[in-house]
Amino acid sequence: MPPGNAAEWILGALVGVLGLIVAGTLMWLMGQRWRKRLTKLAGAAGVPRDFRRGVQSWLGRLGHFGFQMRSPLRLENVGDADAYRWVLVHEGERSFATLDRLVRLRDGRAKVELTFYTALADGTLVVTQDRPVCDPVPRYWSPAGRRFRTVEGQWKEHLKRMEATGGRVLPDPEQLPDLLAADEAACHATLLAAGDHVATIQGPNVIRLKVDRVFRRLLPALRDLFLLKYLPSGRRWDVAAVADVEEEEKESAGGPLGLALEQAVEQDLQRYKRASQARATPVDHLRRAVVLLTLVGLMVAVFGREKPLQTAAIVLVLVALHEFGHWLPMRLFGYRGTARFFVPFSGAAEGGRKLQAPAWQQLVVLFGGPLPGLVAGLAVLAKAHFTPEMPGWLVDAAGLSVVLNGFHLIPMLPLDGGKIVDVLLFRDLPYFRPLFTFCSAGLALVGALALKSRVLKFFAGGMFGALVWDIQTLGIVRGARKLEWAGDVTDENEALRRIFRGVREEGNAGFVGSENWVRKIDVLLEEVMRQRPRLFVRVAGSGFYALTCAVPLAAVGVLMAIPLMRMPVALLDGPDQSIEFRGVFPEEDREVKDPVAVSALRELTRRAAAGFGNFPDLDEPGSMGEVAARVLPVIELRLGQLDWEDAGIERRRGNLDAKMLGLWLEAQALRMENAAANGEHQAALLRAEVLLHAIAKLEPAPNFRDRRYLWDAELRALQVIERENAGGRFDPQTLRRLDARLTQLNRAPVPEVDNFLLVNEWAVRERARALEFANRAGGFDVRFWRDLYPRTQRFKELLRAADEPITPASVAVARLWKKSRRVGELPPRLPEMVSVAEGEAELIQDFCEGHRLISWRRLTTISALRLEAHRKKSGSFPSHYKHSVPGGASLELVHRGGPLLRLVDQRSELERMIPPWLVSADGRDLPALPRVHHDCPLYGAPEAPSLSAK
């Protein structure tokens, strides 16, 4: 990855992490606060056993410091948790403490909060908490709160704060519950009075932070977050861990509370219902946001690096539509736990369930997410295939919809496809379900290793974690199937009562409140009330699922494979249009006079170039001149002795590389320009004549690349001749000799040569393009939808060229030049219908303009030499000199500011327009041909800047 892209991704990752932190903080700030309501209990026996076990070591540690326990209290209005409070009194220090144990109903996670209080005679209450102090607090509070590693550390901190105070007052222990309730009400009222909080629709006992006050508290909250003030104190190092339940400690059917069996069952039932109805917390929303942002980031990294914001927006919309597809049938089929109004990304449909739902309804819910998006995506891609002008963002959205929803149909848990297979098959084969999960996790891990994706590795790790849960639930499912009444009870409450009654009768009353007990009850309840699919539903559902998976795979596979089906035939059997002109191209039947000299110069050049490192790529812009300048001192002597006619023969026979010949021409041009720049006029003229001689001997060029090398070298020779001529350094004999040589070079182009060069160059480019397409078609691009239209169009071109040959524009032009003998001219119309492929119009234009430019420049130099001969003979230039040049230009002698010979392109705008038949493959007209102007200095003109050794 380039450094710039790496920096952008690192910056994006940092921004993303910061965004998650800010989002989490905002959710925490907006979280609701409940005014806790205390309910007095008859005694410690009124507390569930799992709560008592969780605080025994804490109570023992506090007892070590002199605290004595009073009657426990039950806390209500604490959100989605069960909570109990123990009040402890320290008569010696005239202080008291509260120990709260809260267990989340959703996942059974527990935490303990410890607070020390000391009341003073002046009405102040000294409070030391093991968590941040809520802001604001009642005026009579003197609070302090931070993280503590040990109970002893928190108690010492409280004692230290009391040392500077006097007049401690210990309230009547019997009145402590009322005082704590009043204190809780005071804290609640203080928050409301400060104006930052407002009561919610749930009632005055539940408040939340006002929206317009969130951002005012955001920066302080982020500061406290980075200072670790919001991290819980965690497990205290001086408090023992909660011990496991021993077999002999298990409670009897009704428990030690003196409750009857039915009363204990009703208590368990109510506790389960509270846990099942627990609402999502800000932490749950943050977790969903992290999962969603991870998905968006992954899709952007794989499919949309060029337009990350657009890709992210498309993915968010697709995820919303996918979830809506699940939510809508849930609402129609009467699932419980779904929100009245659907809010995307909030998990509103996540908790929806319907016990005894028929298998076909479950399948409709599962198919409702991926199927509509998949069908819509394939439909848009099909439309885009025949409508190339469709907006790119819509095509990208369709492709992403196919990828996202097709991925969900993969038969792997916890994807929708895995759930479909589970409903149809593995719920009736519980012993095979862990194997199914293991295979799914294994495939995800293999994909992660193959793609080197860390995200997939974490995904696979989570699936292996689900495997542990599947193994744990085997015993539950087996036990449920042994129940005689399984499948007969249709009322959920009755089924739950029977389940809890069975648990109590087995002497396992401690099960309620144990780890994951709510999830285990859900599995048991779902199993005893499940309606097994009928044979028709299994067969129809399996067939529909197979069809749903096969159709998109087949559609994409066919669209990707079509260009490959007849590619070898199109490449090998495609017509070679250059054969028509190859037969009349002049054959080289001469023998090389000194082949050793050419070979020796070739090897010397190769060694000289390789001596500066690896032999460079001469196709790079500017590389030819740079390499020629480096090797010239090494090959200059032997280059001056080269027989250019031998070099031309070797080149046309294929024994000399085109790049090597181009390098020699470049070196010869450098020798000429160096001599001119250093004032060595005779040497410059001699080397210019040698270069013109070489150009004449190297014709006919075997291909268009060689022709470009010759044109470039000749233009540089003409420039040196014009400058030397302007200096008056040519005698009449030299002028006549140069005039004759340039006139010979400026003969009309021979169609037998140039037609082949044009058509052969296009044939070479077509074959290279076909091979490139074949190589690209053999690969796989994750954004397959972007290649569908160009792949198919290219395939059609190849088939049309192979099966129904249509005359290419280059061939039609060459045939016309063969008849008219006017090479390089673009006719306004052609006598036959032609096809213009991508890049062909540019080639023809370049070929014609090259002929025009070199012809005009030769005529300009020839005219300048003749004017110089006239000056030497008569003593001055003619007063008036103006001639037309074939092709639409004129040459005029300009005395003012000169003298100079000015070449002017006199073609009108209409004449410079590209003919209508010569348009690019996409229908875009080529720009008008550029104008050609050139000023050739004559004797007496101001000296131009010196030539550089190019």
Side-chain angles (χ1 to χ4, degrees):
M1 181 182 294
N5 291 345
E8 292 177 3
W9 278 103
I10 292 174
L11 180 60
L14 292 176
V15 171
V17 172
L18 181 60
L20 287 177
I21 294 175
V22 172
T25 307
L26 285 172
M27 291 179 182
W28 181 85
L29 288 174
M30 289 295 294
Q32 297 162 335
R33 297 171 183 262
W34 289 268
R35 175 184 169 183
K36 300 180 181 64
R37 189 174 62 192
L38 284 71
T39 302
K40 296 181 181 180
L41 302 176
V47 181
R49 186 174 182 82
D50 56 301
F51 279 85
R52 286 186 280 119
R53 282 193 305 108
V55 297
Q56 281 177 355
S57 54
W58 289 78
L59 295 175
R61 188 60 178 163
L62 290 170
H64 174 74
F65 297 124
F67 282 91
Q68 297 179 357
M69 185 182 70
R70 300 295 176 180
S71 178
L73 307 170
R74 174 175 174 78
L75 294 178
E76 299 181 11
N77 284 356
V78 288
D80 65 333
D82 263 349
Y84 288 86
R85 171 174 292 176
W86 282 260
V87 181
L88 303 100
V89 177
H90 196 302
E91 295 184 354
E93 296 293 343
R94 296 186 179 181
S95 301
F96 59 98
T98 60
L99 185 68
D100 298 345
R101 177 175 170 82
L102 298 91
V103 177
R104 286 187 56 178
L105 296 174
R106 295 175 62 86
D107 52 19
R109 294 182 182 178
K111 68 175 181 178
V112 178
E113 296 178 351
L114 176 62
T115 307
F116 293 113
Y117 300 89
T118 300
L120 305 181
D122 59 359
T124 303
L125 185 64
V126 180
V127 182
T128 304
Q129 296 178 336
D130 58 353
R131 56 197 180 279
V133 178
C134 62
D135 182 29
V137 296
R139 293 183 178 180
Y140 62 86
W141 267 36
S142 175
R146 63 180 179 85
R147 301 182 68 212
F148 293 98
R149 295 283 184 181
T150 61
V151 173
E152 181 180 4
Q154 184 176 352
W155 175 235
K156 286 183 177 180
E157 175 70 18
H158 189 72
L159 290 175
K160 182 179 178 181
R161 296 181 61 214
M162 292 190 302
E163 289 179 354
T165 63
R168 303 177 193 174
V169 177
L170 180 62
D172 184 358
E174 297 299 329
Q175 297 179 354
L176 282 178
D178 297 330
L179 293 176
L180 290 171
D183 187 69
E184 176 69 24
C187 292
H188 195 79
T190 302
L191 289 173
L192 284 174
D196 291 345
H197 290 75
V198 63
T200 65
I201 59 175
Q202 297 168 334
N205 288 332
V206 183
I207 61 176
R208 63 169 177 81
L209 188 66
K210 291 182 177 179
V211 177
D212 58 342
R213 305 297 176 91
V214 172
F215 291 97
R216 190 179 71 178
R217 293 198 173 196
L218 180 61
L219 290 180
L222 287 174
R223 178 199 61 200
D224 293 341
L225 180 65
F226 284 111
L227 293 177
L228 305 180
K229 289 186 177 181
Y230 288 130
L231 292 179
S233 295
R235 188 179 72 84
R236 306 298 180 92
W237 298 111
D238 55 346
V239 175
V242 179
D244 294 332
V245 179
E246 299 293 339
E247 288 294 330
E248 59 271 13
E249 295 179 356
K250 290 185 177 181
E251 298 176 352
S252 59
L257 310 181
L259 299 175
L261 176 59
E262 293 302 323
Q263 291 177 319
V265 168
E266 289 297 326
Q267 186 183 65
D268 294 340
L269 176 61
Q270 295 304 318
R271 191 171 179 185
Y272 170 78
K273 286 187 173 296
R274 288 199 305 270
S276 300
Q277 297 170 1
R279 299 187 307 128
T281 64
V283 176
D284 297 321
H285 291 302
L286 179 60
R287 174 180 56 82
R288 296 189 184 104
V290 170
V291 173
L292 177 64
L293 292 178
T294 302
L295 172 64
V296 172
L298 179 63
M299 298 292 283
V300 169
V302 176
F303 298 102
R305 295 185 180 184
E306 305 90 3
K307 299 179 179 180
L309 294 180
Q310 175 181 298
T311 305
I314 291 174
V315 173
L316 289 174
V317 173
L318 292 178
V319 172
L321 294 176
H322 179 96
E323 294 301 325
F324 180 77
H326 287 308
W327 176 85
L328 184 59
M330 281 186 177
R331 294 290 298 175
L332 294 176
F333 294 148
Y335 274 63
R336 293 190 296 114
T338 58
R340 182 181 298 274
F341 299 103
F342 172 71
V343 181
F345 323 127
S346 68
E350 186 177 274
R353 71 173 185 172
K354 179 182 179 182
L355 297 173
Q356 287 192 316
W360 68 270
Q361 290 187 3
Q362 300 179 46
L363 293 176
V364 170
V365 170
L366 291 172
F367 277 115
L371 190 58
L374 184 65
V375 173
L378 288 174
V380 174
L381 288 182
K383 177 67 175 176
H385 182 67
F386 300 101
T387 313
E389 63 272 11
M390 182 173 289
W393 67 266
L394 184 57
V395 179
D396 285 345
L400 288 173
S401 180
V402 172
V403 170
L404 186 65
N405 292 289
F407 176 75
H408 268 282
L409 283 173
I410 296 176
M412 292 169 49
L413 291 171
L415 302 178
D416 292 332
K419 295 178 181 178
I420 292 171
V421 175
D422 185 57
V423 169
L424 293 172
L425 181 62
F426 289 109
R427 287 192 187 176
D428 288 331
L429 302 172
Y431 291 100
F432 288 92
R433 188 174 185 180
L435 179 62
F436 179 46
T437 305
F438 176 79
C439 293
S440 300
L443 289 176
L445 183 60
V446 170
L449 295 177
L451 299 175
K452 298 180 180 179
S453 172
R454 292 185 177 180
V455 176
L456 279 180
K457 288 181 181 179
F458 287 120
F459 184 70
M463 294 173 69
F464 278 112
L467 175 62
V468 176
W469 172 249
D470 283 346
I471 295 175
Q472 290 178 351
T473 57
L474 277 178
I476 300 175
V477 174
R478 184 178 60 182
R481 295 191 174 184
K482 290 181 179 180
L483 298 176
E484 296 180 355
W485 53 271
D488 296 333
V489 177
T490 58
D491 182 69
E492 179 180 347
N493 290 333
E494 178 60 26
L496 285 171
R497 289 188 179 94
R498 293 194 182 194
I499 290 173
F500 287 122
R501 186 179 298 110
V503 170
R504 289 280 180 174
E505 289 175 347
E506 291 177 359
N508 193 17
F511 167 79
V512 177
S514 63
E515 183 179 3
N516 289 326
W517 72 277
V518 176
R519 291 183 63 189
K520 292 176 182 178
I521 292 295
D522 287 338
V523 173
L524 190 58
L525 181 62
E526 183 178 0
E527 183 62 30
V528 298
M529 298 190 68
R530 185 170 68 88
Q531 296 293 322
R532 289 171 175 77
R534 296 181 179 180
L535 179 61
F536 173 77
V537 175
R538 292 184 193 274
V539 174
S542 300
F544 185 74
Y545 174 65
L547 182 65
T548 304
C549 294
V551 167
L553 290 177
V556 174
V558 169
L559 290 174
M560 296 285 287
I562 278 178
L564 299 176
M565 296 171 64
R566 293 186 60 187
M567 179 64 66
V569 177
L571 289 177
L572 298 177
D573 298 341
D576 186 357
Q577 303 287 356
S578 62
I579 295 177
E580 178 182 346
F581 304 93
R582 189 185 302 274
V584 296
F585 187 80
E587 294 184 1
E588 185 56 72
D589 53 3
R590 294 174 295 174
E591 295 294 332
V592 178
K593 291 173 289 186
D594 189 2
V596 177
V598 178
S599 300
L601 179 58
R602 181 173 61 239
E603 295 303 319
L604 180 62
T605 305
R606 183 176 287 109
R607 288 197 301 269
F612 298 96
N614 295 329
F615 196 83
D617 184 4
L618 299 180
D619 288 330
E620 293 292 329
S623 62
M624 186 73 77
E626 181 182 352
V627 176
R630 290 190 299 177
V631 304
L632 180 59
V634 180
I635 68 171
E636 186 170 14
L637 179 60
R638 190 172 289 274
L639 181 65
Q641 302 171 353
L642 176 66
D643 188 328
W644 288 97
E645 186 175 6
D646 284 352
I649 294 173
E650 289 286 79
R651 174 69 191 111
R652 284 185 289 275
R653 286 183 172 181
N655 298 329
L656 184 63
D657 184 71
K659 296 179 183 178
M660 184 66 69
L661 184 62
L663 188 60
W664 291 350
L665 288 171
E666 180 73 22
Q668 181 64 27
L670 284 177
R671 294 180 70 209
M672 172 190 66
E673 291 171 347
N674 288 340
N678 296 331
E680 302 172 2
H681 304 294
Q682 290 300 322
L685 174 60
L686 177 61
R687 291 168 182 173
E689 288 193 81
V690 170
L691 193 55
L692 293 177
H693 167 76
I695 293 169
K697 294 301 179 182
L698 292 174
E699 288 284 359
N703 56 54
F704 187 59
R705 171 182 287 187
D706 290 50
R707 174 59 63 80
R708 290 308 306 248
Y709 288 153
L710 297 178
W711 282 348
D712 292 342
E714 185 176 353
L715 288 175
R716 293 166 71 176
L718 295 177
Q719 183 179 9
V720 170
I721 291 173
E722 290 174 356
R723 289 174 58 85
E724 295 298 321
N725 179 59
R729 301 182 182 94
F730 294 160
D731 55 61
Q733 184 179 1
T734 303
L735 291 172
R736 287 193 298 272
R737 187 174 69 251
L738 290 172
D739 188 342
R741 186 176 294 278
L742 290 175
T743 301
Q744 182 183 14
L745 285 174
N746 201 43
R747 293 175 302 178
V750 180
E752 288 76 12
V753 174
D754 287 80
N755 287 353
F756 172 74
L757 296 186
L758 174 62
V759 178
N760 183 66
E761 176 65 18
W762 178 243
V764 170
R765 293 189 183 185
E766 270 287 86
R767 189 169 185 85
R769 194 159 69 105
L771 289 172
E772 179 186 359
F773 171 71
N775 293 332
R776 184 161 44 89
F780 177 73
D781 186 357
V782 292
R783 295 173 295 189
F784 60 88
W785 58 88
R786 296 190 178 184
D787 257 358
L788 292 181
Y789 181 75
R791 279 172 184 257
T792 308
Q793 291 300 110
R794 180 64 182 137
F795 177 63
K796 290 179 180 178
E797 292 178 12
L798 293 173
L799 288 184
R800 185 170 62 246
D803 298 337
E804 300 178 5
I806 299 178
T807 305
S810 56
V811 175
V813 171
R815 288 173 180 171
L816 185 65
W817 289 345
K818 181 179 179 180
K819 294 179 180 179
S820 66
R821 312 293 295 181
R822 303 174 68 176
V823 177
E825 293 187 6
L826 286 178
R829 63 184 59 86
L830 290 175
E832 56 183 322
M833 295 294 295
V834 299
S835 64
V836 184
E838 183 180 357
E840 189 174 14
E842 287 82 353
L843 171 64
I844 297 174
Q845 177 183 347
D846 189 29
F847 191 86
C848 294
E849 284 303 292
H851 271 286
R852 187 186 307 275
L853 175 61
I854 196 68
S855 175
W856 286 1
R857 286 295 306 276
R858 285 172 186 160
L859 288 174
T860 302
T861 306
I862 292 172
S863 299
L865 293 174
R866 292 175 179 176
L867 286 173
E868 177 63 13
H870 181 276
R871 185 193 68 80
K872 285 183 176 291
K873 184 176 181 180
S874 63
S876 64
F877 293 111
S879 59
H880 179 75
Y881 180 90
K882 185 174 183 180
H883 295 281
S884 61
V885 177
S890 67
L891 282 172
E892 182 178 6
L893 177 63
V894 179
H895 293 276
R896 185 177 181 180
L900 54 86
L901 187 61
R902 176 163 293 169
L903 172 68
V904 179
D905 189 344
Q906 292 185 329
R907 290 175 294 175
S908 65
E909 294 293 332
L910 182 62
E911 291 174 324
R912 291 190 305 112
M913 293 298 294
I914 301 298
W917 56 267
L918 189 61
V919 295
S920 57
D922 56 3
R924 176 179 52 86
D925 292 336
L926 292 174
L929 298 173
R931 290 190 178 277
V932 179
H933 296 291
H934 175 64
D935 286 340
C936 174
L938 299 176
Y939 182 78
E943 186 175 357
S946 61
L947 289 171
S948 62
K950 182 178 178 182

